Amino acid sequence: VYRSTCLKRSVSQVRSCRKIGIGFPNRKHYNERLNPRSLHYMIKHRPGLSDYGFSPSRKSETACGNLTYLEPALQLRNVTFVFEPDNYQSDILPILKNEQYNMGGQRVSVSADPTRSVYLIVLNTYVGGRNYASTYFSVTHNKCSSDRVRLDLRGGYVELGYFPALSVINNYHLYVRQWYNATSSSDMHLSDGRFSERKDPNWEFVLTIHNVNRWTSGNYSVRCTDDRPGRNKFTQPVEINVIGKPSLHSYNHTSECDDCLVGINGQDLGSHIYCHTTGGTVPTIYVGDRKVTVHFVSNDTYRPSYVASKDDHMKVVTCSVFNAAMETPLNTSSKLYVAVKPDNAVLAVPTLKEGEPAGITCSSMGGRPPSTLTLMIGTMNVTANISTTTILNEEFGSYTTQIVLEAAAKREWQTREVICFQRTPLFSSYKTEKEIIDCK
């Protein structure tokens, strides 16, 4: 229990502590009331002595292997676990388990390292919206389990500064002080390793929240009480928004460029891609060097308002977030693949001569990605007997595709209908007008 520096006042007077502020290193200190909207916070990462080694692990008597993880283990990054079994068998891979969460469907990759007789297990701590910090992991392997290891994810820290009034300082013994998470309506106990407090010479009390992550975002205050029921007083809350690196996403994908965002020529880019941020900060989005208008969608999701064109193909799209608590912006970038609808396919059916190559062609021009063409004679798919040529126009980045039916013409094809189907990813399919075969 910590003695309060709350100001004791009558019911008719303002019942509040001195306002809570955000602390900066080497900051100036003010005894007057603070405007919460003018406050900021600073997040830093301070490497420790074990930044570049293994995490400690305790081997139990019943465990069949030792589980550790590589340092540094940071929030919202990949964490590599190292499992050394007592009986190494490279063809039997271990399964990572967490005591709090079901690991089914999570991004976990497992590989064997026979040179060291260990397994490397990589967990993406960003995917899935879970906070793995301070939770326990183990693995099952060959019908037994490893020892447990607690994952201590590190990140930055944030400082909250609380300034008492002079009359409170003179009567500090009358009250107790409690740091309070107003978002979750819960007390913040210093016995928890995530929090520490110090008192500066000017009677500023500073709470440090360690290893901040996106779950740290919320409203914080100080609750004061003189141990009598109903006598709780709160400072005004201060909002903390922990901003992580934004991420760009695409609703469409193409095998032409696995890592690209995909837009469509002549359509609003915001219908096909979006940027996701944390902390409620509105991002800035660029297409190439051009800054575009941004619209809020929902749940920290923002989309650009911009009509994509052929000229934007393979330009870099950048999503950037920044606020006063950051020294430099956080950026993420991806190339933009702009799909282009091809011209309608053209079917050409010459006069056929029995026994000679048919020479029926179907062509698609100007598209991106390339089209797939299918040839039908009546109800018979003859695509297995065609040759396909696809040519890239490097100047325009578009494709021309042509198929040719090389099979020998048959007399029974006489008067049968021929149709060509054109299918292009991201666009609706098309079929040509039917042609009638004349076979001599």
Side-chain angles (χ1 to χ4, degrees):
V1 179
Y2 292 82
R3 289 295 174 185
S4 169
T5 54
C6 274
L7 177 61
K8 184 177 181 182
R9 299 186 178 184
S10 66
V11 175
S12 61
Q13 293 176 308
V14 178
R15 293 184 176 181
S16 67
C17 306
R18 275 289 185 176
K19 292 198 174 183
I20 185 171
I22 300 297
F24 277 98
N26 302 320
R27 61 197 176 284
K28 295 182 180 180
H29 303 286
Y30 299 90
N31 288 323
E32 67 267 20
R33 291 183 179 274
L34 303 178
N35 179 355
R37 294 188 179 275
S38 67
L39 303 178
H40 307 289
Y41 56 88
M42 180 171 289
I43 300 175
K44 292 186 174 181
H45 168 64
R46 295 186 289 190
L49 294 178
S50 61
D51 263 4
Y52 301 98
F54 285 89
S55 64
S57 177
R58 180 177 299 174
K59 182 74 175 291
S60 69
E61 295 181 359
T62 58
C64 59
N66 187 44
L67 181 66
T68 58
Y69 58 88
L70 299 179
E71 297 279 6
L74 304 178
Q75 292 278 8
L76 309 182
R77 296 292 186 269
N78 286 342
V79 173
T80 301
F81 291 89
V82 180
F83 174 56
E84 183 179 7
D86 294 339
N87 181 20
Y88 178 79
Q89 300 179 47
S90 61
D91 58 332
I92 302 177
L93 298 180
I95 300 174
L96 186 67
K97 293 190 173 183
N98 182 275
E99 291 189 356
Q100 185 171 335
Y101 300 109
N102 184 339
M103 298 299 293
Q106 296 302 293
R107 290 192 181 178
V108 179
S109 63
V110 183
S111 61
D113 184 354
T115 60
R116 294 187 294 159
S117 297
V118 299
Y119 300 94
L120 302 179
I121 307 169
V122 179
L123 169 66
N124 188 328
T125 64
Y126 180 78
V127 175
R130 297 174 174 178
N131 184 7
Y132 289 109
S134 302
T135 63
Y136 285 87
F137 286 85
S138 63
V139 298
T140 58
H141 178 254
N142 199 18
K143 298 183 180 180
C144 68
S145 299
S146 74
D147 54 315
R148 299 189 316 156
V149 61
R150 193 177 96 160
L151 180 59
D152 293 320
L153 294 173
R154 283 183 286 170
Y157 69 91
V158 62
E159 293 181 341
L160 304 178
Y162 164 56
F163 301 83
L166 181 61
S167 56
V168 174
I169 295 174
N170 294 333
N171 297 278
Y172 71 92
H173 59 284
L174 297 178
Y175 295 91
V176 291
R177 177 182 69 261
Q178 176 64 59
W179 295 93
Y180 185 73
N181 186 328
T183 299
S184 61
S185 301
S186 60
D187 292 338
M188 303 163 65
H189 300 288
L190 298 184
S191 58
D192 188 327
R194 295 178 298 161
F195 310 117
S196 62
E197 184 188 60
R198 73 172 187 270
K199 175 187 172 184
D200 286 351
N202 67 334
W203 280 88
E204 178 191 4
F205 291 86
V206 179
L207 176 75
T208 301
I209 304 175
H210 302 275
N211 296 327
V212 297
N213 53 46
R214 54 180 169 170
W215 294 278
T216 308
S217 296
N219 294 305
Y220 295 84
S221 63
V222 171
R223 188 184 77 238
C224 306
T225 179
D226 57 4
D227 293 331
R228 287 183 290 175
R231 300 290 291 182
N232 286 337
K233 305 176 183 67
F234 293 87
T235 63
Q236 95 293 346
V238 166
E239 183 179 10
I240 294 177
N241 284 325
V242 179
I243 299 174
K245 186 177 180 180
S247 57
L248 282 165
H249 304 269
S250 180
Y251 295 113
N252 301 313
H253 303 278
T254 174
S255 59
E256 293 283 296
C257 183
D258 292 334
D259 298 327
C260 285
L261 304 171
V262 178
I264 295 179
N265 178 50
Q267 295 186 15
D268 182 15
L269 190 58
S271 299
H272 302 285
I273 73 170
Y274 64 92
C275 179
H276 185 267
T277 67
T278 58
T281 298
V282 179
T284 302
I285 298 179
Y286 297 88
V287 177
D289 296 328
R290 181 172 179 176
K291 180 179 177 181
V292 302
T293 304
V294 175
H295 292 294
F296 173 73
V297 181
S298 64
N299 299 326
D300 292 326
T301 299
Y302 298 84
R303 64 178 182 86
S305 179
Y306 177 77
V307 177
S309 69
K310 296 179 181 179
D311 295 337
D312 294 320
H313 184 58
M314 302 311 289
K315 285 185 178 179
V316 174
V317 176
T318 301
C319 183
S320 176
V321 294
F322 180 76
N323 71 7
M326 302 164 59
E327 296 180 1
T328 58
L330 294 174
N331 301 323
T332 189
S333 299
S334 293
K335 288 184 177 181
L336 176 64
Y337 184 100
V338 179
V340 178
K341 185 177 181 179
D343 296 337
N344 290 338
V346 176
L347 175 64
V349 181
T351 299
L352 307 186
K353 186 175 182 180
E354 183 180 9
E356 294 185 359
I360 298 174
T361 64
C362 183
S363 303
S364 170
M365 298 183 62
R368 184 174 57 232
S371 300
T372 299
L373 302 174
T374 303
L375 196 63
M376 301 289 295
I377 297 180
T379 59
M380 179 175 58
N381 188 332
V382 296
T383 305
N385 298 312
I386 66 173
S387 63
T388 302
T389 302
T390 300
I391 300 173
L392 171 64
N393 184 323
E394 295 185 359
E395 180 180 359
F396 299 104
S398 59
Y399 293 89
T400 295
T401 301
Q402 184 181 68
I403 61 173
V404 180
L405 178 60
E406 297 178 333
K410 298 179 180 180
R411 178 63 110 179
E412 59 262 31
W413 291 357
Q414 176 69 15
T415 69
R416 288 189 181 179
E417 296 178 350
V418 181
I419 295 176
C420 180
F421 290 88
Q422 176 189 38
R423 295 178 178 86
T424 309
L426 307 176
F427 298 99
S428 58
S429 60
Y430 172 79
K431 72 175 181 178
T432 63
E433 296 291 333
K434 62 184 179 181
E435 299 282 344
I436 304 298
I437 291 179
D438 179 15
C439 184
K440 305 295 186 183

